[in-house]
Amino acid sequence: MFDLRDLYQQVIVDHNKSPRNFGKLEFFNHEADGYNPLCGDRLHVYLNVNDEGLIEDVSFEGEGCAISVASASLMTDTLKGRPVSEFQQKFEGFQHMVTADLDETPDEEALGKLAVLSGVREFPSRIKCASLCWHTMKSAIENSKEAAKTE
Ligand code: ZN
């Protein structure tokens, strides 16, 4: 039988090995730092929002575990080209997915490729690794001067 979990695993490994949107943007008007002291993951996100409120470009740099890097790669891929007003909804959808009961099937239609991270529900210590990039992106959008922390 086709095993969805194997596919999810492959996608995470791929995004960790060759993260999308990795590196500093040449032009950006938002940025923020994020830190997950529990695991030691550090991220910096760059964001260029245009006059129409569209996320024209987004990228990240940093060092962390496979989950934190894959999650940032998937997040930037998901947000690129989307209206910044959609961020909160996507963030909430993601948070719900990684904290939902194990028997709840992720809403793949709403989550898209982010659904590959639904497995972190089984590893509570990894939830913060997966959500660090989202907290960091929220700080960047709000232009918060303080580093986002998962603790
Ligand atoms: Zn981590």
Side-chain angles (χ1 to χ4, degrees):
M1 209 189 99
F2 177 70
D3 191 345
L4 198 60
R5 290 172 56 110
D6 277 354
L7 174 72
Y8 282 4
Q9 195 69 37
Q10 277 173 31
V11 176
I12 292 168
V13 168
D14 174 53
H15 275 265
N16 176 49
K17 258 171 49 185
S18 32
R20 320 298 194 270
N21 311 302
F22 191 83
K24 189 177 178 178
L25 289 182
E26 200 175 338
F27 301 105
F28 58 90
N29 46 25
H30 297 262
E31 63 178 318
D33 271 320
Y35 178 48
N36 173 20
L38 215 61
C39 177
D41 310 313
R42 286 182 188 279
L43 287 178
H44 192 91
V45 302
Y46 301 95
L47 186 62
N48 188 21
V49 180
N50 71 14
D51 293 343
E52 281 95 58
L54 222 63
I55 299 175
E56 208 157 67
D57 215 348
V58 53
S59 75
F60 74 102
E61 289 180 321
E63 274 180 48
C65 66
I67 297 291
S68 68
V69 172
S71 184
S73 175
L74 286 156
M75 178 195 71
T76 51
D77 233 12
T78 300
L79 296 176
K80 201 167 175 171
R82 307 302 308 167
V84 73
S85 56
E86 280 181 14
F87 172 79
Q88 192 58 29
Q89 192 196 347
K90 290 211 188 294
F91 185 20
E92 281 166 20
F94 183 84
Q95 282 288 58
H96 178 79
M97 175 184 80
V98 294
T99 54
D101 290 335
L102 289 179
D103 55 7
E104 191 182 309
T105 312
D107 182 354
E108 284 208 47
E109 208 169 313
L111 292 160
K113 60 187 102 183
L114 298 174
V116 301
L117 286 163
S118 59
V120 301
R121 286 180 294 181
E122 292 174 52
F123 310 96
S125 64
R126 291 286 171 193
I127 295 172
K128 285 176 177 164
C129 300
S131 56
L132 173 65
C133 58
W134 290 89
H135 290 287
T136 312
M137 185 56 72
K138 190 174 191 304
S139 295
I141 288 170
E142 292 167 355
N143 269 336
S144 167
K145 293 276 175 266
E146 276 190 34
K149 271 195 186 158
T150 54
E151 291 294 304

